[in-house]
Amino acid sequence: MPTDCISYQNSGYFSKLIIDYLNQKPELQSLYHRLPTAENFLPQIEEKGNNFPVENRKVLVESLLQQYTNFTLSDTSLHNIELLKQPNTFTITTGHQLNLFTGPLYFLYKIVSTINLSKQLKAKYPNYHFVPVYWMATEDHDFEEINHFTFKTTKIKWNKDSKGPVGRLSTQGLEEVYAQFEKELGVGDYAKYLKESFKKAYLEHATLADATRFLANELFKEEGLVIVDGDDVNLKQLFAPYVKRELLEQASFQNVTATNKALAHYDIQVNPREINLFYIEDNLRERIVFEEGKYSINTTKTTFTESDILAELENHPEKFSPNVILRPLYQEVILPNLCYIGGGGEIAYWLQLKSNFESNGVTFPVLLVRNSVVIATAKQVQKIDKLDLSWSDLFTKQHDLIRKKTKELSSLTIDFSEQKEFLKQQFITLNDIAKRTDPSFIGAVKAQEAKQIKGLENLEKRLLKAEKRILSNQLERISMIQNELFPNGGLQERKQNFSEFYLENGDQLISKLLSELNPLDKDFTLLIV
């Protein structure tokens, strides 16, 4: 089995900003509070403990227990909720959309990273308690991003109109999706479990939020996972003072805009609006806009004076929903949270937000890039060994990989670098002669040099092409194994659903993830199932 490790930085799948963050570039220090090391969590605990109101803990626990009404909680999860009342209990949080049947594999990796970090911190700091939290993105509205998942090569899609927050969306119509999924799964005990899980989650719960809660709880309840729905009137009441400030001062626009200017040489993930709030109802999620001295709800005729909208906030805080700029602040206001675990894109936009946290007097969490995983079967590993491939090879773009392996496998030397260098040295002499005779001759010499170099490059390409034909069988096997592990030339974790692997491995899939993922590691995890 290949033994080389692939760091996130060298994988080719992370942005420059995340690579520089992982490499601890000094110019990024102002964008984060503390780096994700085990030692840095103690000062984070002390700071968050001093800045998190005790009364918020009571509201949080009451809201969580209410949210779990009609759900069967494991003793571990219930214990963790009760622990949140205590001032020495803190959370480790990840968030994710309400993807149909969890969506891509990395849903699992986020939650496992969160659970495992909680365990590691408990071992290091036994006088404190650490609760893994999954924050459901119930107030999102982009239904097209979450209404499908891929099982093997089949896209299973839920066709439905959606206008308001997705968490409130009725699960009516998912019977047809279940029928399609059931056919794809076939028979067997693991197939039966997957069918029952889908049926219980989506056909026996009224909303997408409840269905997602059931499924995540089913998969991770024995690990003490606590699931939070931010679309909650009592939790929104805790956030109301920050909403008021956003309405009256629009400070987040100024703060994040200033940070974005400092990040101009990176790809910016999110851009703030003057007011970073939505107004939501069951079938409505629209921006709040301030124009000509009045607040209006975008695309509607609803308007408010300042006093009217503040009264609306006081009476109906649940109608005010933070967008991507303010949602992290909301999370950190209502949770005694130490660390946010997310993918590269998420961590990139969190790095834009620290100044806004400071402006609001809220402790900025430690930011940790979630574990990334490539799952391979023992049979696939045998193929990789026979083909003499390393993991570094498999992470290479296929065009470059085939070119590299052709050169390695060929009995010929398909590299004319030595000849090109020799040719260049010859033309240095010719150029010198031209300079000492007729300067007009220099252009002709350079043209001839370019022609000769180009000729060698063309010969090299033709030779490479000929060797590819000769080695086609072996190169095809290399392409096939890479395509299996990197579908459509991308990461497996972003394409495939967990059910495809659960069908073959059952509970061992999650057990192996829990045993092998180290959240503080910066290398891809290569999981053999």
Side-chain angles (χ1 to χ4, degrees):
M1 184 177 75
T3 57
D4 56 319
C5 296
I6 304 300
S7 70
Y8 298 155
Q9 296 96 312
N10 293 329
S11 69
Y13 287 99
F14 287 86
S15 69
K16 185 178 186 301
L17 177 59
I18 293 302
I19 290 170
D20 286 352
Y21 173 63
L22 292 171
N23 288 334
Q24 301 178 26
K25 286 291 182 73
E27 55 266 34
L28 294 183
Q29 285 182 0
S30 64
L31 303 181
Y32 58 85
H33 194 35
R34 294 183 177 93
L35 288 167
T37 65
E39 293 71 25
N40 278 347
F41 277 96
L42 184 57
Q44 190 75 17
I45 287 168
E46 293 168 348
E47 183 178 341
K48 187 68 178 183
N50 291 331
N51 292 344
F52 192 76
V54 174
E55 54 270 24
N56 286 23
R57 291 180 178 273
K58 181 181 178 183
V59 175
L60 174 62
V61 170
E62 289 174 351
S63 292
L64 286 170
L65 293 174
Q66 181 63 36
Q67 289 180 18
Y68 273 99
T69 302
N70 301 324
F71 288 85
T72 302
L73 266 168
S74 70
D75 291 342
T76 314
S77 292
L78 180 59
H79 178 64
N80 276 346
I81 291 175
E82 292 294 334
L83 280 175
L84 288 169
K85 294 177 182 177
Q86 301 180 16
N88 64 338
T89 299
F90 298 89
T91 62
I92 305 298
T93 302
T94 193
H96 198 65
Q97 295 171 298
L98 307 188
N99 292 75
L100 188 62
F101 210 54
T102 76
L105 270 164
Y106 65 85
F107 172 83
L108 267 62
Y109 306 159
K110 279 184 166 184
I111 292 179
V112 171
S113 298
T114 304
I115 290 167
N116 283 356
L117 181 58
S118 299
K119 291 177 180 178
Q120 288 182 12
L121 291 177
K122 180 62 179 175
K124 186 169 182 64
Y125 302 109
N127 293 330
Y128 298 96
H129 305 292
F130 305 93
V131 175
V133 166
Y134 161 42
W135 179 290
M136 295 193 296
T138 54
E139 296 179 67
D140 281 3
H141 75 293
D142 199 340
F143 183 61
E144 291 300 315
E145 288 188 4
I146 67 169
N147 69 349
H148 61 277
F149 65 97
T150 300
F151 178 75
K152 297 186 177 178
T153 58
T154 301
K155 184 176 182 178
I156 298 175
K157 186 177 179 181
W158 180 19
N159 295 306
K160 188 182 182 74
D161 291 330
S162 173
K163 294 181 180 178
V166 293
R168 301 184 189 183
L169 193 61
S170 167
T171 53
Q172 288 181 351
L174 277 165
E175 296 84 0
E176 291 85 353
V177 177
Y178 172 72
Q180 182 187 1
F181 188 37
E182 183 184 30
K183 284 183 183 178
E184 295 289 340
L185 283 169
V187 297
D189 289 342
Y190 297 154
K192 182 180 178 182
Y193 173 80
L194 291 167
K195 291 172 189 177
E196 287 300 308
S197 296
F198 190 101
K199 185 187 293 184
K200 288 178 181 178
Y202 295 99
L203 305 189
E204 297 178 14
H205 291 89
T207 66
L208 188 56
D210 283 349
T212 305
R213 180 186 296 276
F214 174 87
L215 185 58
N217 184 60
E218 174 67 21
L219 293 172
F220 294 105
K221 60 189 175 184
E222 298 307 323
E223 299 298 325
L225 182 68
V226 173
I227 302 164
V228 176
D229 182 354
D231 190 6
D232 181 292
V233 61
N234 294 316
L235 297 179
K236 288 284 183 71
Q237 191 66 61
L238 294 178
F239 192 57
Y242 302 88
V243 173
K244 181 178 180 180
R245 185 179 183 222
E246 178 70 7
L247 290 168
L248 298 181
E249 300 178 23
Q250 289 106 59
S252 61
F253 175 77
Q254 300 163 27
N255 294 328
V256 179
T257 297
T259 299
N260 286 359
K261 287 179 180 177
L263 288 170
H265 54 296
Y266 292 104
D267 291 332
I268 299 298
Q269 287 292 111
V270 292
N271 287 293
R273 297 187 180 276
E274 291 185 355
I275 294 179
N276 293 283
L277 296 165
F278 290 99
Y279 188 83
I280 61 172
E281 293 175 342
D282 286 351
N283 293 300
L284 177 73
R285 184 181 184 267
E286 289 291 346
R287 291 187 294 115
I288 299 174
V289 181
F290 185 68
E291 295 175 324
E292 298 178 356
K294 286 191 175 183
Y295 296 88
S296 61
I297 309 305
N298 195 45
T299 77
T300 75
K301 295 180 180 179
T302 304
T303 61
F304 298 94
T305 63
E306 181 180 299
S307 58
D308 287 341
I309 201 164
L310 294 180
E312 182 79 348
L313 173 61
E314 184 175 354
N315 296 324
H316 298 287
E318 72 280 4
K319 291 190 176 185
F320 294 80
S321 175
N323 74 356
V324 66
I325 297 292
L326 285 184
R327 191 214 64 79
L329 184 69
Y330 176 35
Q331 171 189 297
E332 299 300 311
V333 165
I334 67 174
L335 293 177
N337 194 49
L338 302 175
C339 176
Y340 184 76
I341 298 177
E346 289 176 280
I347 299 304
Y349 77 70
W350 273 83
L351 288 168
Q352 297 174 236
L353 305 178
K354 181 168 175 276
S355 63
N356 197 47
F357 273 75
E358 292 171 341
S359 174
N360 283 281
V362 177
T363 299
F364 196 61
V366 172
L367 302 178
L368 179 62
V369 177
R370 66 166 173 81
N371 285 116
S372 279
V373 182
V374 175
I375 300 176
T377 65
K379 188 175 181 181
Q380 286 172 326
V381 171
Q382 287 177 354
K383 289 181 183 178
I384 292 167
D385 282 342
K386 285 182 180 178
L387 292 167
D388 195 26
L389 293 168
S390 66
W391 288 115
S392 179
D393 288 334
L394 291 166
F395 271 83
T396 304
K397 298 300 180 186
Q398 192 162 103
H399 176 272
D400 296 330
L401 173 60
I402 295 303
R403 182 183 179 89
K404 176 189 174 190
K405 297 308 289 187
T406 301
K407 290 183 176 182
E408 287 179 5
L409 295 167
S410 175
S411 58
L412 305 174
T413 301
I414 314 176
D415 186 346
F416 292 170
S417 298
E418 185 178 333
Q419 289 83 352
K420 282 185 274 188
E421 184 58 35
F422 177 77
L423 197 60
K424 287 177 183 177
Q425 292 301 321
Q426 299 304 305
F427 273 97
I428 288 173
T429 303
L430 287 173
N431 273 301
D432 186 53
I433 292 172
K435 287 177 185 177
R436 289 187 284 120
T437 54
D438 184 354
S440 66
F441 188 47
I442 294 174
V445 172
K446 288 191 176 296
Q448 190 61 223
E449 179 182 8
K451 182 179 179 180
Q452 295 293 330
I453 295 292
K454 185 69 175 176
L456 281 175
E457 289 174 348
N458 287 335
L459 286 173
E460 189 176 338
K461 287 178 182 177
R462 289 181 65 181
L463 181 57
L464 183 67
K465 189 175 181 180
E467 286 298 283
K468 283 181 180 179
R469 284 196 298 269
I470 295 170
L471 299 166
S472 60
N473 288 338
Q474 197 161 355
L475 295 175
E476 186 178 355
R477 292 198 296 273
I478 289 172
S479 296
M480 285 176 64
I481 191 65
Q482 189 184 46
N483 290 340
E484 288 176 16
L485 297 173
F486 294 82
N488 299 319
L491 288 177
Q492 179 191 74
E493 64 185 36
R494 293 190 165 275
K495 311 277 185 183
Q496 295 168 273
N497 183 260
F498 87 97
S499 57
E500 183 175 335
F501 298 90
Y502 192 96
L503 194 61
E504 299 297 325
N505 300 279
D507 289 342
Q508 284 299 307
L509 173 65
I510 293 177
S511 296
K512 281 200 167 190
L513 289 171
L514 286 164
S515 66
E516 297 194 28
L517 264 58
N518 176 5
L520 296 178
D521 195 1
K522 296 178 184 177
D523 291 334
F524 268 79
T525 300
L526 306 166
L527 192 75
I528 312 304
V529 296

Coordinates of all heavy atoms in Angstrom, one line a residue, residues 18 55 78 160-161 220 262 281 327 360 410 426 515 517:
I18 N -6.4 29.5 2.0 CA -6.4 28.5 3.0 C -5.0 27.9 3.1 O -4.5 27.5 4.2 CB -7.4 27.4 2.6 CG1 -8.9 27.9 2.8 CG2 -7.3 26.1 3.5 CD1 -9.2 28.4 4.2
E55 N -26.9 33.3 31.6 CA -28.3 33.2 31.3 C -28.5 32.6 29.9 O -29.5 32.0 29.6 CB -28.9 34.6 31.4 CG -28.3 35.7 30.7 CD -27.2 36.4 31.5 OE1 -26.7 35.8 32.4 OE2 -27.0 37.6 31.1
L78 N -28.4 13.5 25.5 CA -29.2 14.2 26.6 C -28.2 14.7 27.7 O -28.4 15.8 28.2 CB -30.2 13.2 27.2 CG -31.1 13.8 28.3 CD1 -31.9 15.1 27.8 CD2 -32.1 12.8 28.8
K160 N -39.2 20.0 -6.5 CA -40.2 20.7 -5.6 C -39.9 22.2 -5.7 O -38.7 22.6 -5.9 CB -40.1 20.2 -4.2 CG -41.2 20.8 -3.3 CD -41.0 20.2 -1.9 CE -42.1 20.7 -0.9 NZ -43.3 20.0 -1.1
D161 N -40.9 23.0 -5.6 CA -40.7 24.5 -5.5 C -40.4 24.8 -4.1 O -41.0 24.3 -3.2 CB -42.0 25.2 -6.0 CG -42.2 25.0 -7.5 OD1 -41.2 24.9 -8.2 OD2 -43.3 25.1 -8.0
F220 N -25.3 9.4 14.5 CA -24.3 9.8 15.5 C -24.8 10.0 16.9 O -24.0 10.5 17.8 CB -23.7 11.2 15.0 CG -22.9 11.1 13.8 CD1 -23.4 11.6 12.6 CD2 -21.7 10.5 13.7 CE1 -22.7 11.6 11.4 CE2 -20.9 10.5 12.5 CZ -21.5 11.0 11.4
A262 N -8.1 44.4 2.4 CA -6.8 43.8 2.8 C -6.6 42.4 2.2 O -5.4 42.0 2.1 CB -6.7 43.7 4.3
E281 N -40.5 34.3 6.5 CA -41.7 33.6 6.9 C -41.7 32.3 6.2 O -40.7 31.9 5.6 CB -42.9 34.5 6.4 CG -43.0 35.8 7.2 CD -44.2 36.7 6.7 OE1 -44.7 36.4 5.5 OE2 -44.5 37.6 7.4
R327 N -24.4 35.1 10.2 CA -24.8 33.8 10.8 C -23.7 33.3 11.8 O -24.0 32.8 12.9 CB -25.1 32.8 9.7 CG -25.7 31.5 10.3 CD -25.3 30.2 9.6 NE -23.8 29.9 9.7 CZ -23.3 29.4 10.7 NH1 -24.0 29.1 11.8 NH2 -22.0 29.2 10.7
N360 N -18.4 43.7 17.8 CA -19.6 43.4 18.5 C -19.2 42.8 19.9 O -20.1 42.4 20.6 CB -20.4 42.3 17.7 CG -21.2 43.0 16.6 OD1 -22.2 43.6 16.9 ND2 -20.7 42.9 15.4
S410 N 8.2 3.8 -20.2 CA 8.8 3.6 -21.5 C 10.3 3.1 -21.4 O 11.0 3.5 -20.5 CB 8.8 4.9 -22.3 OG 9.5 4.8 -23.5
Q426 N 24.7 26.0 -28.1 CA 25.3 26.3 -29.4 C 24.8 27.6 -30.0 O 25.6 28.4 -30.6 CB 24.8 25.2 -30.4 CG 25.3 23.8 -30.0 CD 26.8 23.7 -29.9 OE1 27.5 24.0 -30.8 NE2 27.2 23.3 -28.7
S515 N -12.4 6.2 14.3 CA -11.2 5.7 14.9 C -10.0 6.3 14.2 O -8.9 6.3 14.8 CB -11.2 4.2 14.8 OG -11.1 3.7 13.5
L517 N -9.8 9.4 12.0 CA -9.7 10.8 11.7 C -9.2 11.6 12.8 O -9.7 11.5 14.0 CB -11.1 11.4 11.3 CG -11.4 11.4 9.8 CD1 -11.3 10.0 9.1 CD2 -12.8 12.0 9.5

